[in-house]
Amino acid sequence: MLLVPTECEGKRKLYSFPAGKIYDIELPVPCNSKRYCDSSYGHGWLATMDVLDRGGLTITLVNPFRKAEAPIRLPRLDFKVLRKYCEVCLPKIILSEDPTLNPDSYVVVAIYKHVSELAFTKGGQKFWIYSKRLRGCLLTDAIFHKSQVFAVGKWGNILSFDINSKPIEAKILNPQECPFSRYADKAYLVESTNGDLLHVRKFLKDVDGDAYHEEFWTERFMVYKLVFNERDGSVVQHVEIKSIGDEVMFLGDDYCISVLASNFPGCQPNSIYYMDDCTKLGGARVPDTDSDSRPSVIGIFNLEDETITRHYSLNISPALWIVPLFNGLC
């Protein structure tokens, strides 16, 4: 489902993308011009980010599907400014596990996309630990996989982070500096339903030779299975996958997930559902001037024939993929 804004500030509703239906359930998810929201875990947890006037962010973990769960306030976090685009680089927030299951051991990671820096904190901790900035990696996504943090860059660089080391340092897992000959528009890490770690690369393809008009660009996705060396954990191979079978991926700037289409009626198997909350003109990012008025680009990419079913909807931006695991709100 998509978690979409409503006319009432501080409320959101659920939009079923396969059914094309908005459910008349308002959830308390505060988002406005100075408050941003990120889907951070697969059990309904969200991260709301407040931009402070004196600089920095306050981040609160909330679960609107569990009314009994109290919000979790995280320590103040620095934010970065991309001078090239004159905009704040808000981090992507990911959780290691459901905070209600292990309130003192869960880990939160903030990845500064395009700045190539990560920050880490643990349950009950009063501060963030920042990694060293990595030059040339252009990190775009991170994931918890088998008790480790993995990150990916536009050139296909795969990195791991030992969150128990001091200081926290990145380990580059690729034997070569640039595993791919061209960088991706976006790169994602997704855990398949059978536990494999998949590297998904998205490219913008100029179909009519007009690089300055977005309508002449189309998307293409390529999926690779990461094969690791059992001794040292390095990535020995990116194996291209032409089919993911019954699986369907949901990709976006927030939480990415892979599920079995057979468990979700209406979803197309062997497909990638994707969403972008920004536009591209000739491969350059357009500065975000009004986050509430940007159109969401929502599409379904079929891996078998590489066709795209594209949907544009102005009234659901900004929106978040979410998998609400509930039999009614509790």
Side-chain angles (χ1 to χ4, degrees):
M1 291 184 174
L2 286 169
L3 200 61
V4 301
T6 66
E7 294 180 355
C8 180
E9 186 174 302
K11 300 287 185 179
R12 290 199 172 208
K13 290 186 176 182
L14 291 172
Y15 173 81
S16 173
F17 188 70
K21 175 182 177 181
I22 294 181
Y23 293 90
D24 192 24
I25 302 174
E26 288 192 344
L27 300 171
V29 182
C31 295
N32 53 42
S33 60
K34 287 191 176 181
R35 177 172 289 178
Y36 304 84
C37 192
D38 183 26
S39 176
S40 58
Y41 191 69
H43 290 281
W45 284 94
L46 306 172
T48 62
M49 292 175 275
D50 291 272
V51 180
L52 304 176
D53 292 334
R54 63 182 183 276
L57 298 169
T58 58
I59 300 176
T60 304
L61 303 179
V62 297
N63 195 324
F65 303 99
R66 299 177 185 171
K67 296 181 179 179
E69 298 297 343
I72 301 174
R73 188 79 172 263
L74 299 179
R76 177 186 173 276
L77 178 69
D78 293 337
F79 66 73
K80 308 298 178 182
V81 176
L82 296 180
R83 299 186 183 277
K84 181 177 180 181
Y85 306 115
C86 298
E87 62 177 336
V88 172
C89 180
L90 293 172
K92 174 177 180 176
I93 307 297
I94 59 173
L95 299 176
S96 62
E97 56 191 309
D98 190 338
T100 57
L101 300 179
N102 295 291
D104 296 324
S105 62
Y106 69 92
V107 178
V108 185
V109 175
I111 173 173
Y112 294 97
K113 294 175 289 185
H114 311 298
V115 182
S116 298
E117 185 175 351
L118 278 74
F120 304 81
T121 190
K122 296 183 178 181
Q125 194 166 283
K126 302 299 183 182
F127 55 89
W128 292 85
I129 299 174
Y130 297 85
S131 70
K132 294 181 179 179
R133 184 171 296 188
L134 303 164
R135 295 183 178 181
C137 288
L138 296 175
L139 298 181
T140 61
D141 196 16
I143 190 175
F144 280 96
H145 177 70
K146 295 183 178 179
S147 302
Q148 293 188 66
V149 177
F150 292 86
V152 63
K154 285 190 172 185
W155 289 102
N157 310 83
I158 306 295
L159 302 90
S160 67
F161 295 82
D162 183 358
I163 58 178
N164 295 313
S165 65
K166 294 182 181 179
I168 296 177
E169 294 186 355
K171 178 182 178 182
I172 299 177
L173 303 182
N174 303 92
Q176 61 271 44
E177 184 176 354
C178 296
F180 293 87
S181 59
R182 60 173 294 196
Y183 72 87
D185 174 61
K186 288 187 178 179
Y188 307 90
L189 291 176
V190 186
E191 187 176 280
S192 69
T193 57
N194 63 7
D196 291 330
L197 188 57
L198 304 180
H199 173 199
V200 184
R201 298 175 61 76
K202 173 189 171 185
F203 300 94
L204 286 179
K205 184 170 62 174
D206 183 3
V207 295
D208 283 336
D210 192 333
Y212 296 98
H213 295 86
E214 183 189 0
E215 61 266 28
F216 294 110
W217 286 79
T218 187
E219 297 88 355
R220 185 191 179 199
F221 291 86
M222 301 185 72
V223 181
Y224 298 88
K225 175 185 173 181
L226 297 180
V227 179
F228 294 92
N229 184 312
E230 295 183 357
R231 291 182 299 174
D232 59 12
S234 62
V235 175
V236 295
Q237 195 174 6
H238 291 73
V239 179
E240 184 177 358
I241 297 177
K242 297 292 186 179
S243 172
I244 55 176
D246 186 44
E247 293 196 40
V248 53
M249 295 183 187
F250 293 86
L251 307 181
D253 288 334
D254 53 332
Y255 183 72
C256 300
I257 191 171
S258 181
V259 300
L260 293 178
S262 55
N263 292 337
F264 294 85
C267 289
Q268 297 182 19
N270 197 30
S271 297
I272 296 174
Y273 287 64
Y274 64 95
M275 176 173 56
D276 288 325
D277 281 333
C278 61
T279 56
K280 295 278 182 176
L281 294 177
R285 178 168 180 144
V286 177
D288 177 5
T289 55
D290 187 351
S291 61
D292 290 330
S293 64
R294 287 179 296 164
S296 286
V297 180
I298 303 173
I300 307 173
F301 181 83
N302 186 295
L303 279 169
E304 182 177 358
D305 56 18
E306 298 189 354
T307 57
I308 294 175
T309 304
R310 187 171 294 179
H311 301 262
Y312 293 92
S313 183
L314 292 174
N315 63 345
I316 64 169
S317 176
L320 300 168
W321 292 122
I322 195 164
V323 183
L325 303 179
F326 65 95
N327 295 316
L329 297 177
C330 55

